């Protein structure tokens, strides 16, 4: 009888620990997403104020926390373009597109960077891809230092 009771107590303790670990894991995941978003927003603010070095430091921190978010690479690419590192910005836009081939902003920014480098054929290719990636009936316009604006026709 004691053996059965002891097993039941141990099982309850184990279930409590498993629940506790599950709870901690879910809290960490939510807070990580929030933290990445806060850091990215801070990077954008620095970018808007022309503080590109600080912006680059912040966006690199966000990427180090979660390297699978396409939009983070678009932000870093934009910062690098403002710093006149056009070839590095192309690397970031390519990474963003590899993570999400429908990221209209990444496609558009890559086309724009190719335009700045006078590589018209590549620019036209990515402008066309950005147009084709849009959902039917919607048009996206990129405004420098702001989020993509969604205009409904």
């Amino acid at each position: 009888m004691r053996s059965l009771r002891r097993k039941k107590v141990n099982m309850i303790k184990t279930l409590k620990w498993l629940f506790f670990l599950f709870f901690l894991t879910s809290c960490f995941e939510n807070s990580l997403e929030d933290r990445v978003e806060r850091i990215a927003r801070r990077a954008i603010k620095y970018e808007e104020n022309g503080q590109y070095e600080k912006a680059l430091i912040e966006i690199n921190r966000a990427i180090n926390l979660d390297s699978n978010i396409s939009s983070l690479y678009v932000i870093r690419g934009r910062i690098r373009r403002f710093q006149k590192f056009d070839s590095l910005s192309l690397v970031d836009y390519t990474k963003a597109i590899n993570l999400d081939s429908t990221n209209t902003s990444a496609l558009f920014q890559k086309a724009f960077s190719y335009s700045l480098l006078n590589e018209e054929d590549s620019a036209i290719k990515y402008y066309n891809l950005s147009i084709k990636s849009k959902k039917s009936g919607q048009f996206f316009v990129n405004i420098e230092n702001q989020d993509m604006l969604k205009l409904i026709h």
Side-chain angles (χ1 to χ4, degrees):
M1 193 72 150
R2 283 187 183 190
S3 171
L4 186 59
R5 182 177 285 212
R6 187 173 290 151
K7 285 181 182 180
K8 187 176 180 182
V9 169
N10 287 338
M11 188 168 65
I12 290 172
K13 285 181 182 179
T14 302
L15 288 173
K16 284 181 181 180
W17 273 107
L18 287 173
F19 176 77
F20 179 70
L21 290 173
F22 174 77
F23 175 75
L24 283 179
T25 303
S26 64
C27 287
F28 177 74
E29 288 174 1
N30 290 337
S31 66
L32 178 62
E33 290 172 9
D34 292 343
R35 189 170 174 206
V36 168
E37 184 178 341
R38 277 194 313 273
I39 293 169
R41 287 184 187 280
R42 194 165 41 240
I44 291 168
K45 287 292 182 193
Y46 283 133
E47 176 193 1
E48 290 172 345
N49 293 324
Q51 297 174 298
Y52 303 123
E53 289 298 321
K54 288 182 178 180
L56 189 59
I57 289 168
E58 292 300 313
I59 203 62
N60 283 336
R61 286 181 59 215
I63 289 170
N64 286 336
L65 288 173
D66 191 342
S67 61
N68 293 316
I69 300 175
S70 177
S71 59
L72 297 178
Y73 293 95
V74 175
I75 295 166
R76 186 168 73 180
R78 232 180 28 223
I79 294 165
R80 286 179 166 172
R81 192 179 67 234
F82 286 127
Q83 292 179 310
K84 307 296 184 206
F85 298 128
D86 294 319
S87 58
L88 287 176
S89 70
L90 286 172
V91 171
D92 283 327
Y93 300 139
T94 301
K95 176 70 174 179
I97 294 165
N98 288 341
L99 289 170
D100 178 5
S101 62
T102 64
N103 186 326
T104 306
S105 181
L107 293 164
F108 179 85
Q109 292 291 343
K110 189 168 183 174
F112 185 68
S113 288
Y114 276 129
S115 295
L116 294 175
L117 294 169
N118 294 318
E119 294 184 30
E120 288 83 16
D121 290 340
S122 295
I124 290 169
K125 173 187 173 183
Y126 282 96
Y127 280 129
N128 284 332
L129 287 171
S130 71
I131 291 166
K132 290 176 185 175
S133 74
K134 296 173 195 155
K135 295 178 182 175
S136 177
Q138 295 180 345
F139 180 70
F140 292 87
V141 178
N142 183 286
I143 304 298
E144 214 54 60
N145 296 322
Q146 293 183 15
D147 294 334
M148 294 294 287
L149 297 178
K150 184 169 131 182
L151 304 173
I152 307 297
H153 287 164

